Amino acid sequence: MSFRPFRRRATRGAEPAAPLSAVAQQANDNLPDPPDTLAAPANRVALLWSDPLGRAAIRAAQVLLVLALVGAAVLGLSQVSLAMLPLLIALILSSALWPLVRLARKAMSAMLAAWTVFLGSLAVIGGVVAGIVFAVRAEWPGLVDQAVEGFKQLQGMVKNLPLQISQQQIDDGVTAVTDFLTSSQFGAGALTGLSAAGSFFTGLVLLLVILFFFLKDGDRIWAFFLSWIPRRHEAKWRASGTRTVETLGGYIRGTAIIAFVDAAGIGIALWILQVPLALPLAVIVFITSFIPMVGATFAGILATLVALVANGPVVALIVLGVVILVNQLEGNFLQPVVMAQALNLHALVILLALTIGTVLAGLVGAVLSVPITAVAWAIVKIWTGRDTEAIEGPTRG
């Protein structure tokens, strides 16, 4: 049986479709395409990462990767802290002393300028340390006698407290402390302290050597590093180096000015009130002021306790009032004026940086965390385009 007639009849009976109008054709073109149910698996995976949740997941993975790299870097550097800490401290000190080196180079060679600034800095530090030693030696016997008398007064005050503490309990506490000081655990701790002292002096020698070479060849070392940077990134790297030196130097010089004012104010008050060890306590205030927010407060509490033991509660209250007044002057006047350009960080950021640095590296972390955070923020502003002035016209350094 042939199907040709049926095919011919069907072909003859089919009428051509009427052409669509322009409006209907445009409406037909604007209709959404039907979903592609047969999309390739790779396309479906790509669609998963292109929606808002997918983009958030990608960003979270990037953040976790960066945090992992930073954690690995911190862990690795902590294993070589004997070399890294002197290097970092030398970088900070050389940034603070670099303007003096640059000024001295106008009248002498680079070698002689480096030696002049280096030895001058050591002479100043050595003079301060010698002054502290002589002051402590001169007033130490009287301070010991006053401390013993103050301890006896403290025992009398404890006996008069509402909480009854018997003399036997006090004697038991003193005996426990004495037993610990004569125990093997304390001896092991002393040996650990000797080892730490050896590491300290090794790091100190390394610090002095690195500091001298930074003062002598710091600009040449930085130029050698820049010679390996691709041309398209050289401007940002150069600006980052300039801002690092400016931020570290400005931070150290500004903190030194504030610390000097704090030490002078508290030291003069201690001298007028005839509190023992006024000069050493003033130097302690100066040194601890390099720990932001808590250093000067700690030194003020120490000075108040010494005044309480040596001069009584009235003088101690006066010293406490002076410490509070100096801290208010620092926080409301000196910090905004002196450190506005060098630091440029919110107080909450400083507190968080201080806490993290203390947890990671103890006292050294507390001292170095804030300047490192300030440098990191300055570099971030350069690489994100917020500090175009540094890229367009960085100062010579």
Side-chain angles (χ1 to χ4, degrees), residues 215-233:
L215 295 178
K216 176 179 174 291
D217 299 322
D219 51 347
R220 296 174 57 187
I221 295 173
W222 180 239
F224 173 77
F225 177 80
L226 288 178
S227 64
W228 295 88
I229 301 299
R231 181 69 63 180
R232 63 182 182 275
H233 297 311

Side-chain angles (χ1 to χ4, degrees), residues 218-267:
D219 51 347
R220 296 174 57 187
I221 295 173
W222 180 239
F224 173 77
F225 177 80
L226 288 178
S227 64
W228 295 88
I229 301 299
R231 181 69 63 180
R232 63 182 182 275
H233 297 311
E234 183 179 352
K236 289 186 177 180
W237 276 100
R238 188 181 300 276
S240 299
T242 302
R243 281 290 185 260
T244 297
V245 173
E246 292 177 353
T247 302
L248 291 178
Y251 174 79
I252 295 299
R253 290 189 294 270
T255 304
I257 294 173
I258 296 173
F260 177 79
V261 174
D262 291 346
I266 296 177

Side-chain angles (χ1 to χ4, degrees), residues 41-339:
N43 293 337
R44 290 200 297 269
V45 173
L47 291 175
L48 290 176
W49 294 105
S50 62
D51 61 358
L53 182 59
R55 291 193 296 270
I58 293 175
R59 186 63 65 190
Q62 292 172 342
V63 171
L64 291 176
L65 178 60
V66 170
L67 291 178
L69 293 176
V70 171
V74 171
L75 181 61
L77 293 178
S78 64
Q79 302 302 316
V80 291
S81 58
L82 185 61
M84 292 306 302
L85 286 179
L87 177 64
L88 186 58
I89 296 175
L91 176 61
I92 295 175
L93 295 178
S94 62
S95 299
L97 297 174
W98 185 249
L100 295 178
V101 176
R102 191 166 51 189
L103 181 63
R105 284 185 178 183
K106 296 180 180 179
M108 58 189 72
S109 63
M111 174 70 75
L112 188 57
W115 276 114
T116 301
V117 175
F118 180 73
L119 295 179
S121 303
L122 292 183
V124 172
I125 297 175
V128 172
V129 173
I132 295 175
V133 171
F134 287 126
V136 172
R137 289 183 59 183
E139 300 185 16
W140 184 256
L143 184 63
V144 170
D145 295 338
Q146 291 172 338
V148 172
E149 183 64 27
F151 181 73
K152 293 179 180 179
Q153 294 178 2
L154 183 62
Q155 282 184 322
M157 294 173 59
V158 168
K159 291 180 180 179
N160 296 326
L161 290 176
L163 297 176
Q164 295 298 325
I165 300 177
S166 64
Q167 183 64 35
Q168 181 64 34
Q169 291 174 324
I170 297 176
D171 294 338
D172 291 341
V174 174
T175 303
V177 173
T178 305
D179 292 340
F180 171 74
L181 294 178
T182 57
S183 63
S184 59
Q185 290 85 355
F186 182 78
L191 293 177
T192 304
L194 291 177
S195 177
S199 300
F200 171 78
F201 284 108
T202 302
L204 179 61
V205 173
L206 183 61
L207 165 64
L208 295 177
V209 173
I210 297 175
L211 176 61
F212 171 75
F213 281 110
F214 276 172
L215 295 178
K216 176 179 174 291
D217 299 322
D219 51 347
R220 296 174 57 187
I221 295 173
W222 180 239
F224 173 77
F225 177 80
L226 288 178
S227 64
W228 295 88
I229 301 299
R231 181 69 63 180
R232 63 182 182 275
H233 297 311
E234 183 179 352
K236 289 186 177 180
W237 276 100
R238 188 181 300 276
S240 299
T242 302
R243 281 290 185 260
T244 297
V245 173
E246 292 177 353
T247 302
L248 291 178
Y251 174 79
I252 295 299
R253 290 189 294 270
T255 304
I257 294 173
I258 296 173
F260 177 79
V261 174
D262 291 346
I266 296 177
I268 292 174
L270 295 176
W271 177 72
I272 293 175
L273 296 172
Q274 297 182 352
V275 176
L277 299 177
L279 178 60
L281 288 174
V283 175
I284 292 175
V285 171
F286 178 83
I287 295 174
T288 55
S289 294
F290 283 86
I291 304 177
M293 301 181 70
V294 297
T297 302
F298 168 77
I301 294 174
L302 179 61
T304 304
L305 292 177
V306 172
L308 176 62
V309 172
N311 300 82
V314 177
V315 176
L317 288 176
I318 297 175
V319 172
L320 180 60
V322 172
V323 170
I324 295 175
L325 179 63
V326 170
N327 286 335
Q328 291 298 317
L329 176 64
E330 172 194 339
N332 297 324
F333 178 72
L334 290 179
Q335 283 283 357
V337 173
V338 177
M339 303 295 290

